[in-house]
Amino acid sequence: MKRRFGQHFLKDHSVLTRIVRLAAIDSEDTVLEIGPGRGALTRELAAVARRVIAIEIDRDLIPALTGTLPANVTVIEGDALEVPWPEEAFHVVANLPYNAATPLIRRFIEMRSRIRDVTVMVQKEVAERITASPGPGAYGPLSVLVQYYANARYAFTVPPGAFTPKPKVDSAVVRLEWKPGTPDARDFTDFVHQAFSSRRKTLANNLSRMATRFGRSEIDRRLADAGISLTARPEELSVEQFMDVYNRWTRE
């Protein structure tokens, strides 16, 4: 095991089959798996998919994977954040490394024109952030950005005993299905992170710190026009309210 890669290999067969069922893969599908590890999930996917492309960063695992996996599996050595992904449409199914889950989810969003849907296991805390509703606690920038592009569902919790070695925390499987026709909003990402820059401050105060084109009175006016209280904190706004405020923010 290599700690720097966040390796925890899934061994519970009931969890493996449950993930594959949730992903709803059929014999015509191409699947991208990130971090196949010892290939337990890879084999389950290969049994139902037309093709599985598995990206593994740990070169020491490559010989065993290429020597034992079925013929419809292609193993690629490299960092999934850097290597090219398939040009064809594909599903993502994976047990994501804990230390790379959030940047990988951002790449899923960037590549969503090719990705049919996403079924992944992540640290439970990350799953809760992805699927959280407005309010104190887990709801934050990741919640808003993922839910802007996708319908996000918390599927089930996976205990440490399902892995080797056992992680110190629970894991969870989440399912992302893209919302049709959602336009790209690259600046929206920066806007949301700035809006959450200090949870102890109001949204108006956080926005005023990045005001370059107009002053506090104009920020207050635009929030009021959006129906947002000047005392509201960022975690109180829904995804739709964030987009409304963003659109008013960018308007000349």
Side-chain angles (χ1 to χ4, degrees):
M1 312 301 172
K2 297 178 181 175
R3 183 173 297 178
R4 70 182 185 274
F5 294 146
Q7 291 173 332
H8 296 281
F9 300 141
L10 185 58
K11 65 178 182 178
D12 188 317
H13 190 261
S14 65
V15 175
L16 292 166
T17 55
R18 193 174 178 185
I19 292 171
V20 175
R21 285 198 304 270
L22 180 65
I25 304 300
D26 66 34
S27 60
E28 298 299 316
D29 288 331
T30 295
V31 177
L32 177 70
E33 183 190 10
I34 296 167
R38 293 173 175 167
L41 179 58
T42 319
R43 293 179 180 87
E44 298 293 330
L45 292 168
V48 295
R50 179 182 66 86
R51 183 186 183 204
V52 178
I53 301 167
I55 302 175
E56 177 55 59
I57 195 172
D58 187 350
R59 66 178 57 186
D60 292 337
L61 295 174
I62 301 297
L65 289 170
T66 56
T68 61
L69 290 173
N72 63 336
V73 178
T74 301
V75 179
I76 298 174
E77 180 186 340
D79 186 337
L81 291 169
E82 298 176 358
V83 301
W85 288 4
E87 294 294 332
E88 62 193 287
F90 59 93
H91 303 263
V92 173
V93 186
N95 171 24
L96 297 183
Y98 282 174
N99 58 4
T102 298
L104 282 168
I105 289 167
R106 293 196 184 105
R107 191 170 188 194
F108 297 158
I109 291 172
E110 293 172 2
M111 302 281 288
R112 70 189 186 282
S113 63
R114 289 186 238 166
I115 298 174
R116 295 189 184 279
D117 46 49
V118 175
T119 306
V120 290
M121 187 184 307
V122 294
Q123 189 173 337
K124 183 180 179 183
E125 177 187 348
V126 176
E128 290 172 341
R129 286 164 52 200
I130 290 170
T131 58
S133 299
Y139 189 75
L142 187 63
S143 319
V144 175
L145 296 173
V146 172
Q147 292 176 39
Y148 170 71
Y149 291 104
N151 294 308
R153 177 161 64 97
Y154 186 111
F156 59 93
T157 304
V158 182
F163 301 87
T164 182
K166 292 182 180 180
K168 296 180 180 179
V169 296
D170 285 343
S171 301
V173 176
V174 294
R175 171 89 169 163
L176 306 182
E177 297 178 350
W178 308 121
K179 296 176 180 177
T182 303
D184 279 320
R186 294 186 181 275
D187 292 341
F188 184 53
T189 300
D190 293 335
F191 176 81
V192 171
H193 279 287
Q194 287 289 337
F196 276 96
S197 59
S198 177
R199 286 178 176 266
R200 290 178 295 179
K201 295 183 180 294
T202 64
L203 175 64
N205 281 336
N206 286 339
L207 292 180
S208 68
R209 294 168 62 186
M210 60 173 169
T212 58
R213 294 178 294 117
F214 40 77
R216 178 57 186 265
S217 62
E218 181 63 15
I219 292 172
D220 291 352
R221 185 186 69 78
R222 295 190 183 204
L223 287 176
D225 288 347
I228 306 299
S229 169
L230 299 183
T231 61
R233 299 187 186 277
E235 65 267 22
E236 297 176 32
L237 273 67
S238 68
V239 176
E240 293 74 20
Q241 286 175 311
F242 260 111
M243 181 51 66
D244 185 19
V245 172
Y246 168 75
N247 288 332
R248 294 173 187 274
W249 175 264
T250 57
R251 189 180 305 156
E252 293 297 335

